[in-house]
Amino acid sequence: MSEQDGMSYAPLGRPRPVCGPGDFVFAAVGLDHDHIYGMCNGLLEAGGTLKWVYDPDPAKVAAFVGRYPLAVPADAEATVLDDPEVVLVAGASVPADRAGLGLRVLRHAKHYFVDKPPLTSFDQLAAVRAEVAETGKKYAVYYSERLHVESAVFAGQLIADGAIGRVIQVLGMGPHRLNAPRRPGWFWERERYGGILCDIGSHQLEQVLFYGGSDRGKVSSSRVGNFAHKDHPGMEDWGDVSVVLDNGAVGYCRVDWFTPSGLGSWGDGRTFILGTEGTIELRKYLDVGRDPEGDQVYLVDNDGEHHLSVHGKVGYPYFGQLILDCLEGSEEAMTQEHALAAAQLSLEAEANAIRIED
Amino acid sequence: MSEQDGMSYAPLGRPRPVCGPGDFVFAAVGLDHDHIYGMCNGLLEAGGTLKWVYDPDPAKVAAFVGRYPLAVPADAEATVLDDPEVVLVAGASVPADRAGLGLRVLRHAKHYFVDKPPLTSFDQLAAVRAEVAETGKKYAVYYSERLHVESAVFAGQLIADGAIGRVIQVLGMGPHRLNAPRRPGWFWERERYGGILCDIGSHQLEQVLFYGGSDRGKVSSSRVGNFAHKDHPGMEDWGDVSVVLDNGAVGYCRVDWFTPSGLGSWGDGRTFILGTEGTIELRKYLDVGRDPEGDQVYLVDNDGEHHLSVHGKVGYPYFGQLILDCLEGSEEAMTQEHALAAAQLSLEAEANAIRIED
């Protein structure tokens, strides 16, 4: 596995523990997406203690233990859920199965930290909202394309500091490398991965809500297509969505599976934020044709053009905040409403999408 | 006037005459938009002979003659239209008046070369189509953001050469500097400039049709807003539009009047073209934070990332082709159908736009 293909994109940051060993015990359950490694890295660097790992597939467990030798393979999911020491379960199962696991986790009085997309249907969304309200536990979501990207974290700070005035539009492009031969069966089944706008689109819509400054949004239009993978009828290899937030900020997102093999990264992810007093462009994973290092920020304001290379300089505050939120009942990392609002908007985009006929 | 503000953006290229002096006599009528200078530069470099200039405002005529001393001020529009030597009239009057002038030009058996937007209403569009059919004369449109931008011309060549496979999506951003104090009254009146999607949006939609490879498109959704200029109720300072072409290619365009004063150009115009086998990004007017020179092309294909600086290396073939089209009855520069299809799509986008309430 290499970071090149993005399937195992798992950033490593500097350890900044917010608690001592054993203060925050967590487990990994459901290893279908390699995002689980990014999730565990983040929690470990922030001081979490990884106790258990469980997946029905022994090969996935073996690979995981190879990376985290202190994780103990559990014989069953119940072993993890019944352990009173476990505060949080991190999971990256097949998207359609994520809510099911999450509901079980919450019912066992534990917090859940789930890979995006956190769920794939409106029924799941309603059940999750009900269970969160009932248990008071967190259903936190790993929107890695903001939380685990230093330039994306930095952009949030710039906006909060008023660097570009009021945000008018967030425009995101999230291309991904396909790596077809390495993809599991569920990757091609729309009901299992949830559709492209529900899946990788959720990263983008989360950013629109976050940078746009509201958790209430409405889809203006959305579209999906299968332009080049008709041998997989369940595939959506392209999608886009336009949204408007209740504060008037607008968003547009485009996602696709067409990263050319010549690109030195798994995707040329970009975010353009238009403000009344300036603009921000993020070149997240590389500066194409210029620099293989990502986290390149281009801020233009009324004083000039500013190119800021922030890789290694910002860190990933989300994970420490999440641990403290779980331990202290706060909501600093991300509000529950925000995490699920992005999921809801993604579901609405997917459900109402125009299907491009070509 | 400086090129910095884009109001007088008038590229100069190398002279590549396609005809001799006097072979192609043209006139300039209607000087409300400084695009007239780019239009005349292009025709002059391609061998055209500028005979007349007319505008009801003597100050505009004086400025024009200062730039082109051989142009003779006409005492009236009719003097130009009645001159049998004149083959083509170039015009950049107020957008809402452009079709009226064009109809008079065509009825005098001359070709018309009009600044974008070429017209501002469906009635005008129908009248123009009828007059073109009746007279056989051209109603050519100066979509400068492709025709007079070398990287944009180059992108067309790359696509034609199959460099990125089949085009899936054209995504364009056309930010413009406002320069409010220098804008004339009509700039703020929606009925006069036609709305943002009709006006600067037409540049973008023309590119979607051109790179996307079809003249038939349908608006999926469009939106306009007035985020920061509410003292001008007729102003639309932001707009976007999603289209799908009948061949399945999709487009998205965003235009706005929010170029920050610190940007070293009138706008950070970008075009992203997604293909099945590669991607093209154009940084048209500068490479923000990197290089003040524009026409930077980033091509990524299955072999690698390619950064191509094409400024001064491509030229502007449109103008010579237009002259020959007029002289020889060909359609190499741009088909009439294409020029008006872009205008029609722009009108449809504007007419059906969601108005953002903020």
Side-chain angles (χ1 to χ4, degrees):
Chain A
M1 291 187 293
S2 83
E3 193 178 300
Q4 261 283 92
D5 62 15
M7 294 172 68
S8 55
Y9 183 71
L12 282 169
R14 265 171 300 184
R16 294 187 184 176
V18 297
C19 61
D23 288 345
F24 181 81
V25 174
F26 72 102
V29 176
L31 310 179
D32 291 283
H33 197 296
D34 283 344
H35 270 168
I36 193 69
Y37 293 103
M39 299 162 71
C40 290
N41 287 352
L43 292 174
L44 289 167
E45 289 161 10
T49 300
L50 175 55
K51 181 173 181 181
W52 296 107
V53 55
Y54 176 72
D55 190 278
D57 178 355
K60 290 193 179 71
V61 172
F64 187 89
V65 172
R67 190 90 73 101
Y68 306 111
L70 297 180
V72 178
D75 57 344
E77 181 186 298
T79 305
V80 176
L81 298 188
D82 291 338
D83 180 352
E85 201 183 27
V86 172
V87 176
L88 176 145
V89 171
S93 35
V94 173
D97 300 335
R98 289 175 188 173
L101 172 60
L103 295 173
R104 295 193 295 277
V105 169
L106 267 60
R107 285 173 195 146
H108 283 79
K110 300 180 191 317
H111 301 290
Y112 185 48
F113 180 36
V114 61
D115 187 24
K116 69 75 242 168
L119 41 81
T120 57
S121 75
F122 291 105
D123 285 349
Q124 290 178 353
L125 177 63
V128 165
R129 283 204 163 116
E131 201 64 37
V132 164
E134 174 76 19
T135 62
K137 295 297 170 185
K138 295 184 190 301
Y139 193 101
V141 185
Y142 181 61
Y143 291 112
S144 55
E145 293 188 25
R146 182 175 64 83
L147 304 174
H148 230 161
V149 176
E150 291 183 283
S151 53
V153 174
F154 187 67
Q157 297 167 356
L158 285 175
I159 292 168
D161 289 346
I164 61 167
R166 176 185 162 201
V167 171
I168 296 171
Q169 182 181 18
V170 181
L171 189 159
M173 286 185 265
H176 284 62
R177 178 161 288 147
L178 182 60
N179 283 317
R182 285 192 50 210
R183 296 291 178 180
W186 61 262
F187 179 85
W188 308 99
E189 297 167 29
R190 190 179 172 287
E191 290 305 308
R192 301 282 283 153
Y193 71 86
I196 191 170
L197 295 175
C198 170
D199 181 13
I200 56 178
S202 68
H203 282 299
Q204 299 295 327
L205 287 166
E206 192 277 332
Q207 289 170 76
V208 170
L209 295 177
F210 182 76
Y211 298 131
S214 171
D215 288 337
R216 293 176 186 275
K218 188 167 175 293
V219 173
S220 302
S221 82
S222 57
R223 310 181 290 186
V224 297
N226 181 349
F227 285 91
H229 303 91
K230 300 210 198 294
D231 49 328
H232 292 289
M235 178 64 169
E236 295 171 349
D237 55 23
W238 179 91
D240 74 354
V241 49
S242 297
V243 298
V244 54
L245 309 190
D246 67 353
N247 63 4
V250 285
Y252 173 78
C253 315
R254 190 282 286 300
V255 286
D256 68 80
W257 289 101
F258 286 103
T259 292
S261 36
L263 191 82
S265 159
W266 56 270
D268 186 5
R270 303 279 187 101
T271 306
F272 294 84
I273 308 169
L274 175 69
T276 51
E277 304 296 328
T279 59
I280 295 170
E281 175 184 357
L282 308 181
R283 301 182 190 158
K284 291 180 160 185
Y285 312 119
L286 84 169
D287 201 332
V288 61
R290 290 277 192 183
D291 190 338
E293 184 169 280
D295 291 313
Q296 308 287 346
V297 178
Y298 293 82
L299 166 68
V300 183
D301 56 22
N302 291 326
D303 296 324
E305 302 168 17
H306 315 283
H307 173 198
L308 309 162
S309 297
V310 303
H311 195 69
K313 299 175 183 165
V314 179
Y316 309 112
Y318 172 81
F319 301 93
Q321 291 171 337
L322 176 61
I323 288 177
L324 293 177
D325 284 349
C326 292
L327 295 178
E328 301 174 359
S330 50
E331 261 203 336
E332 295 297 318
M334 182 185 294
T335 66
Q336 187 63 71
E337 175 58 25
H338 178 79
L340 295 180
Q344 178 175 333
L345 207 53
S346 306
L347 289 177
E348 289 168 356
E350 185 71 37
N352 298 303
I354 297 167
R355 175 158 284 275
I356 304 294
E357 303 293 343
D358 67 308
Chain B
M1 290 187 292
S2 83
E3 194 177 300
Q4 258 286 91
D5 63 14
M7 294 174 66
S8 55
Y9 182 71
L12 282 168
R14 267 170 299 186
R16 294 188 184 176
V18 299
C19 62
D23 288 344
F24 182 81
V25 174
F26 72 101
V29 175
L31 310 179
D32 291 284
H33 198 296
D34 283 344
H35 270 168
I36 193 68
Y37 293 103
M39 299 162 72
C40 290
N41 286 354
L43 292 174
L44 289 167
E45 288 161 10
T49 300
L50 175 55
K51 182 173 180 181
W52 296 108
V53 56
Y54 176 73
D55 189 278
D57 179 355
K60 289 193 180 73
V61 172
F64 187 90
V65 173
R67 190 90 71 100
Y68 306 111
L70 297 181
V72 178
D75 57 344
E77 181 185 297
T79 306
V80 177
L81 297 188
D82 291 338
D83 180 351
E85 202 182 27
V86 172
V87 176
L88 175 144
V89 172
S93 34
V94 173
D97 300 335
R98 288 176 188 173
L101 172 59
L103 295 172
R104 296 193 295 278
V105 169
L106 267 59
R107 284 173 195 146
H108 283 80
K110 299 180 191 317
H111 301 289
Y112 185 48
F113 179 36
V114 62
D115 187 24
K116 71 74 241 171
L119 41 81
T120 57
S121 75
F122 290 106
D123 286 348
Q124 290 179 353
L125 177 63
V128 165
R129 283 205 163 115
E131 203 62 37
V132 164
E134 173 77 17
T135 63
K137 295 297 172 185
K138 294 184 190 303
Y139 193 100
V141 185
Y142 181 61
Y143 292 112
S144 56
E145 293 187 25
R146 183 174 63 82
L147 305 174
H148 231 160
V149 177
E150 291 183 283
S151 53
V153 174
F154 187 67
Q157 297 167 357
L158 285 176
I159 292 168
D161 290 346
I164 60 166
R166 175 184 163 202
V167 171
I168 296 170
Q169 183 181 19
V170 181
L171 188 159
M173 285 185 265
H176 284 62
R177 178 162 288 148
L178 182 60
N179 282 316
R182 285 191 50 212
R183 295 291 178 180
W186 61 262
F187 179 85
W188 309 100
E189 298 168 27
R190 191 179 172 286
E191 289 306 308
R192 301 282 283 152
Y193 71 87
I196 192 171
L197 295 175
C198 170
D199 182 12
I200 55 178
S202 67
H203 283 298
Q204 299 296 326
L205 287 166
E206 192 277 333
Q207 290 170 76
V208 170
L209 294 177
F210 182 76
Y211 298 131
S214 172
D215 288 337
R216 293 176 185 276
K218 189 167 175 292
V219 174
S220 302
S221 83
S222 57
R223 310 181 291 185
V224 297
N226 181 350
F227 285 91
H229 303 92
K230 301 209 196 297
D231 48 329
H232 293 288
M235 179 63 170
E236 295 171 350
D237 56 22
W238 179 91
D240 74 354
V241 50
S242 298
V243 297
V244 55
L245 308 190
D246 69 353
N247 64 5
V250 286
Y252 173 79
C253 314
R254 189 283 286 300
V255 286
D256 68 79
W257 290 100
F258 286 103
T259 292
S261 38
L263 192 81
S265 161
W266 55 270
D268 186 5
R270 303 279 187 101
T271 307
F272 293 84
I273 308 169
L274 174 69
T276 50
E277 306 295 327
T279 60
I280 294 170
E281 175 183 358
L282 308 181
R283 301 183 191 158
K284 291 180 159 185
Y285 313 118
L286 83 168
D287 202 331
V288 61
R290 290 277 194 182
D291 190 339
E293 183 169 280
D295 291 312
Q296 308 287 347
V297 178
Y298 293 82
L299 166 68
V300 183
D301 56 22
N302 291 326
D303 296 325
E305 302 167 19
H306 315 282
H307 173 199
L308 308 162
S309 299
V310 303
H311 195 68
K313 298 177 184 165
V314 178
Y316 309 112
Y318 172 81
F319 301 93
Q321 290 170 338
L322 176 61
I323 288 177
L324 293 177
D325 284 350
C326 292
L327 295 177
E328 300 174 1
S330 50
E331 262 202 335
E332 295 297 317
M334 183 186 294
T335 67
Q336 186 64 73
E337 175 57 27
H338 178 79
L340 296 180
Q344 177 174 334
L345 207 52
S346 306
L347 290 177
E348 290 169 354
E350 187 71 37
N352 298 303
I354 297 167
R355 176 159 282 276
I356 303 295
E357 303 293 342
D358 69 307

